[in-house]
Structures are given as C-alpha cells and as structure tokens.
Amino acid sequence: MTYPDTTIDIPSPRPLAEAEGCSHPPAAPFANGTIPAQKLQPALRRRRRERVRQFVRRLRAGQSRAGQLNKAAQQHKPLTPRRRRKRKAALAFSVAAMGLSSTAAPILSQASPVSISAPLAVDATIERMHAGALEVSDTMKEALAEEEGVRLTVYRDVAGYPTVGVGHLVQPADNLRVGDQISYDRAIAFMDKDLTTAENAVRDLVGDLPLYQHEFDALVDLVFNVGEGNVSERESPLLNRAIADRDYDAIASQLEYHTAGGALARGLMYRSERREAIFAEASYEDPRPANLRLAEVGRA
C-alpha cells in the first residue's frame, strides 16, 4: 500500500464503523460494552485467510488461462516465410548440436543462407539483467497478497484514505466510495495496475544496475509498501548510495521499514524481514510463526 505525498510515518488507526464500509466490522458489544479481543481473533483470521486463498486461486487461474491462450495463439499462427526460415534455422542448429555432421550436411546446406543471430533468452533467476526487461514474478504477487491482505469492501486505511483490494488506494477514476463492493477480478486488475507503477518506480530508482528476478521483486515490494516518495534520494539516502555504489549487500540492509504512526509495528518488522530474505536469498516464505501467519494481514 502506498500513500500519496507522505512519508512512512502515518497516523494511528481509528475505529471504523460498519456504515463506513469496514471489511471487518466490529461485532455487537458484550453486556459491559466491550468485546474481548481473544473472542474476535479466530474468526477474523479465518476470514482473512480465506480471502487471500480465494484471491491467489483466481490469480493462478488467470495466469494459467493467459498462458494457454498465448500457446494456442502461437500454435495457430500462420507460418509466414520469416517463421519458416527461423524454424529451418532452429532445426539446422539442433542437428549440428547433436554432432550429426554427415547426415546433417544436406539440411545445413539448405539452411546455410539463414543466420542464427537471435540472442539466447536470459533467465533472470540465474543471471542479473537490466530492470527494464523485468516484471514482478507471480510468486511475489502471491506474497504481496499475503502481506497486504485482500479486502473486497472499500474501507478507510490507517491514514484515512479509501482503500480496497490488495492495498489499492481508491482514485476518482475508480468511481468507488467507502462501503462499495468489488470482485476478486477487479482486485487483481487494481493490483496489476499498482504493480506496474511500482515497477516503473524501481526502474527509475536503480537505473542501469542489473538485478536478479528476486532482487527486483523485493524492491517492487518496497515501493508498493512505502511509496515512491519514500525511496527518493532525500528520504532514503543510504539506499540510493548503495545503488550508486552497486553494493547489493548494502541495498539489502536498507530494505527495513519498521514504523507506522511513529511506533514500531510488528507486521512491518516481519514484512521487512521477508523482503530482505527475498532480495538476498530468493526466499519468499513468510517468516511469521505459524500461529501468526495471515493473522496480522492488513494491520501494518
């Protein structure tokens, strides 16, 4: 979740009434007017957990569908002269690679006018590459949903901004008000749009510094969480210096943001720990103890 033109220090949360669209409205009070927190927590955890699970299921289904459509489009794509030449060149290259020099000679001679000049694809999981060629991974999207939580009712966040989905700050163009409901598909669309903004901010931040996929993911999570303004040279001079020095260890050490409302927030501490592990070790696992996982989602 990002905040427009603010720093990471944000006001303390205020209680939200059900009429305001809080996705976790308070239950009816007990006789003495209070609600023991321990009575509410199990139900809230189950609701948060189920929303995240549903969101991830739909996210994966959409990714699978997109992959199938892309594959089908490639299979039914007309075999143009250019594609025919590329296929012939690929065949010649494969035969030569197998060392079949005698039997491959006729094929190689027929394909000889075609040069195999296309660059080999670079795998960002094993080799650093320019950030301009990277997009946030599906694994990072799922981790982000776990950290931010998924809310389908527009509510006011701790800073008072109307928010919905995976930490999406409602914009006038969204045509939504506090209390409105959205679908999982729209929540996914909002997240993809917000991630595109964060990706572009990371590309501006790192410049020509090459990154692994997991390093790019961690920086996108940082921008998504604290906002582009908070990673500026003015607000995060040490992070920017580490990037300028191309010091990856120093970059990892500058991914910690632990305070909200001027106080330490346990949720942000866990998220920072996870972000550092993603950047330094490509480890996307939730560092929270099992009994706390998804219990604190959306609080930080």
Side-chain angles (χ1 to χ4, degrees):
M1 180 187 300
T2 59
Y3 301 91
D5 302 323
T6 65
T7 64
I8 191 60
D9 288 330
I10 52 181
S12 299
R14 63 179 179 81
L16 296 175
E18 184 172 1
E20 293 182 282
C22 178
S23 59
H24 306 305
F30 283 71
N32 62 359
T34 64
I35 307 173
Q38 64 270 23
K39 297 288 185 181
L40 295 176
Q41 287 307 312
L44 295 182
R45 291 177 185 178
R46 285 194 297 271
R47 293 179 65 182
R48 293 179 185 126
R49 187 178 297 114
E50 183 54 32
R51 267 196 300 272
V52 171
R53 285 174 178 168
Q54 286 289 342
F55 183 85
V56 170
R57 286 193 198 106
R58 290 170 182 263
L59 188 63
R60 290 177 178 176
Q63 292 157 358
S64 176
R65 204 159 44 239
Q68 291 171 356
L69 290 174
N70 183 58
K71 183 177 180 181
Q74 291 297 323
Q75 290 174 343
H76 292 88
K77 195 172 182 180
L79 193 60
T80 62
R82 182 180 178 184
R83 292 187 69 232
R84 189 177 291 110
R85 288 195 301 269
K86 289 178 69 177
R87 182 173 292 183
K88 182 184 286 187
L91 176 61
F93 181 78
S94 299
V95 173
M98 288 187 294
L100 304 178
S101 57
S102 58
T103 57
I107 299 177
L108 288 172
S109 62
Q110 293 173 13
S112 57
V114 181
S115 62
I116 308 170
S117 57
L120 296 176
V122 177
D123 186 347
T125 64
I126 59 176
E127 183 175 344
R128 286 190 172 104
M129 59 190 300
H130 193 281
L134 292 170
E135 295 180 352
V136 70
S137 71
D138 296 338
T139 305
M140 187 66 243
K141 289 181 181 180
E142 294 181 15
L144 192 62
E146 289 178 354
E147 290 294 338
E148 291 280 351
V150 180
R151 297 193 180 188
L152 302 181
T153 302
V154 181
Y155 67 102
R156 294 189 185 279
D157 67 4
V158 294
Y161 295 112
T163 308
V164 75
V166 183
H168 171 73
L169 291 179
V170 175
Q171 305 297 318
D174 297 334
N175 196 27
L176 291 170
R177 296 180 300 175
V178 172
D180 287 349
Q181 297 276 340
I182 67 169
S183 65
Y184 281 105
D185 289 341
R186 194 171 186 189
I188 291 173
F190 280 148
M191 184 182 73
D192 287 341
K193 181 179 178 181
D194 293 341
L195 282 174
T196 296
T197 300
E199 288 170 345
N200 289 332
V202 169
R203 294 179 188 119
D204 290 340
L205 175 67
V206 302
D208 63 355
L209 180 73
L211 297 170
Y212 288 123
Q213 178 66 60
H214 58 88
E215 292 171 340
F216 182 78
D217 283 348
L219 289 170
V220 168
D221 176 70
L222 175 66
V223 173
F224 193 99
N225 186 203
V226 306
E228 183 176 1
N230 281 297
V231 297
S232 66
E233 189 168 1
R234 176 182 176 181
E235 298 295 336
S236 299
L238 296 181
L239 173 62
N240 282 265
R241 185 182 306 166
I243 291 171
D245 292 341
R246 309 175 86 82
D247 187 338
Y248 293 94
D249 290 337
I251 294 173
S253 70
Q254 294 302 315
L255 301 183
E256 296 181 355
Y257 284 78
H258 291 168
T259 61
L264 285 175
R266 186 169 59 172
L268 286 178
M269 294 174 67
Y270 282 124
R271 182 165 185 171
S272 293
E273 182 181 341
R274 187 176 197 171
R275 184 185 299 132
E276 288 181 69
I278 291 172
F279 187 93
E281 305 168 13
S283 176
Y284 291 77
E285 287 77 15
D286 190 341
R288 295 168 180 80
N291 64 320
L292 291 181
R293 290 178 185 175
L294 295 178
E296 299 173 329
V297 164
R299 293 186 184 180

